[in-house]
Amino acid sequence: MSLEEREQALLRLVSDYEAAECRAILETARTDVARALSLAHRQARARLHERVMSERSNARARIQAIRAERETRRRASVEQANARLLEVAGPRLRRTLEARWQNPETRRHWIRFALAQAARSLPAAVWTIRHPPDWDARERAEVEARISAASGHVPRWLADDRLRAGLTIESRGALLEASLDGLLGDRSRLDARLLALIAAARVAPGASS
C-alpha cells in the first residue's frame, strides 16, 4: 500500500470515528433533552395540579363562607320576624286569657282545670286560694262547696289585688300557679309554643290543599 493510500485510510478512520462520536454525543444530548423535557412537564403538571387544587380549596372556602353568611342573615331575619310576631302575639294572648276569665263559661273551665291539677299535685290539707277581688262571690261559694265535698277541708280565700285573672292554690308550702301571670311567666317555653302554633297555622292551608 502506497503512502497516499495509507493516508486516505487513516483519514477515513478519523472521519468514521468523528462521525461515531458526533452520533453518540447527539444521542446523549437527545436523551438528556428528553429527560429534561419530561421532568419539566411533570413539574409543570404538578405545579398546575397544586394550583388547581388550591383554587378549588379557595373556591370551596369562599362558597362555604357565602353560605354561612347567607344562613346567618336568614337566621337573623327569621329571629327578627319572630321577635316582631311575639311582640304582637304576647299582648293579644294576655288579652285573650283575660277575656276567658271574664267569660263565666270559660272561667268555669279554667277553675275546673286548676282544681283538678291541685287535687293531683298538692297535699291533702286546707288550701289557701288567692283570687282576683272582683271574682263573683256566688261562683266562689260553689267552688268552696265542691272542694269541701271532695277533700273534707274548707278552703281559705284571699282576695289579691295583683291578680287580674286566674287563681293560685297553696297547701303546706306547695303552690299551684294557675293565675294569668303564672301561666304567662315561662316566657321561653311560651314563646316557643306560640311560634310553633304560628308555624303550624301557616303550613296547615297548604297541607290541606
Side-chain angles (χ1 to χ4, degrees):
M1 180 182 293
S2 65
L3 179 61
E4 182 178 353
E5 289 174 342
R6 287 198 297 271
E7 289 178 351
Q8 290 297 325
L10 183 59
L11 288 174
R12 283 196 296 272
L13 287 174
V14 170
S15 178
D16 291 343
Y17 176 78
E18 181 181 7
E21 285 295 311
C22 287
R23 286 195 298 271
I25 292 171
L26 287 174
E27 186 62 30
T28 301
R30 291 192 188 97
T31 302
D32 291 343
V33 168
R35 288 175 180 172
L37 288 174
S38 178
L39 177 60
H41 288 161
R42 288 197 302 272
Q43 291 175 342
R45 285 196 298 269
R47 288 193 296 270
L48 179 60
H49 178 73
E50 291 177 359
R51 190 177 302 117
V52 169
M53 295 303 295
S54 176
E55 290 297 327
R56 286 180 179 176
S57 179
N58 292 337
R60 283 194 295 267
R62 288 193 295 270
I63 292 172
Q64 290 174 354
I66 292 171
R67 288 175 177 172
E69 182 181 0
R70 185 183 303 164
E71 180 63 16
T72 300
R73 290 179 179 176
R74 187 192 68 80
R75 289 181 180 176
S77 177
V78 170
E79 289 175 358
Q80 291 174 0
N82 287 342
R84 289 193 294 269
L85 282 173
L86 293 173
E87 286 178 1
V88 175
R92 287 186 180 179
L93 177 60
R94 176 175 286 274
R95 290 193 298 270
T96 299
L97 290 175
E98 288 178 354
R100 284 180 176 271
W101 179 259
Q102 296 302 321
N103 181 282
E105 182 61 29
T106 51
R107 182 169 61 244
R108 290 190 185 93
H109 287 299
W110 190 328
I111 293 169
R112 280 198 296 269
F113 178 79
L115 295 179
Q117 291 290 318
R120 286 195 293 268
S121 58
L122 296 182
V126 176
W127 290 351
T128 298
I129 303 177
R130 295 182 182 274
H131 60 87
D134 60 352
W135 185 23
D136 184 76
R138 289 173 299 179
E139 284 188 19
R140 192 165 66 249
E142 292 174 2
V143 172
E144 179 177 306
R146 194 182 317 148
I147 294 173
S148 300
S151 66
H153 300 285
V154 178
R156 178 171 174 252
W157 300 98
L158 292 177
D160 192 335
D161 292 332
R162 294 170 299 179
L163 297 183
R164 294 177 58 87
L167 307 169
T168 67
I169 306 174
E170 186 270 336
S171 176
R172 294 182 179 176
L175 178 66
L176 175 74
E177 182 63 81
S179 68
L180 175 62
D181 288 337
L183 294 174
L184 298 179
D186 189 351
R187 291 303 308 174
S188 58
R189 182 184 64 83
L190 186 61
D191 288 349
R193 180 60 177 162
L194 283 172
L195 292 174
L197 290 173
I198 292 171
R202 288 174 173 172
V203 173
S208 61
S209 60

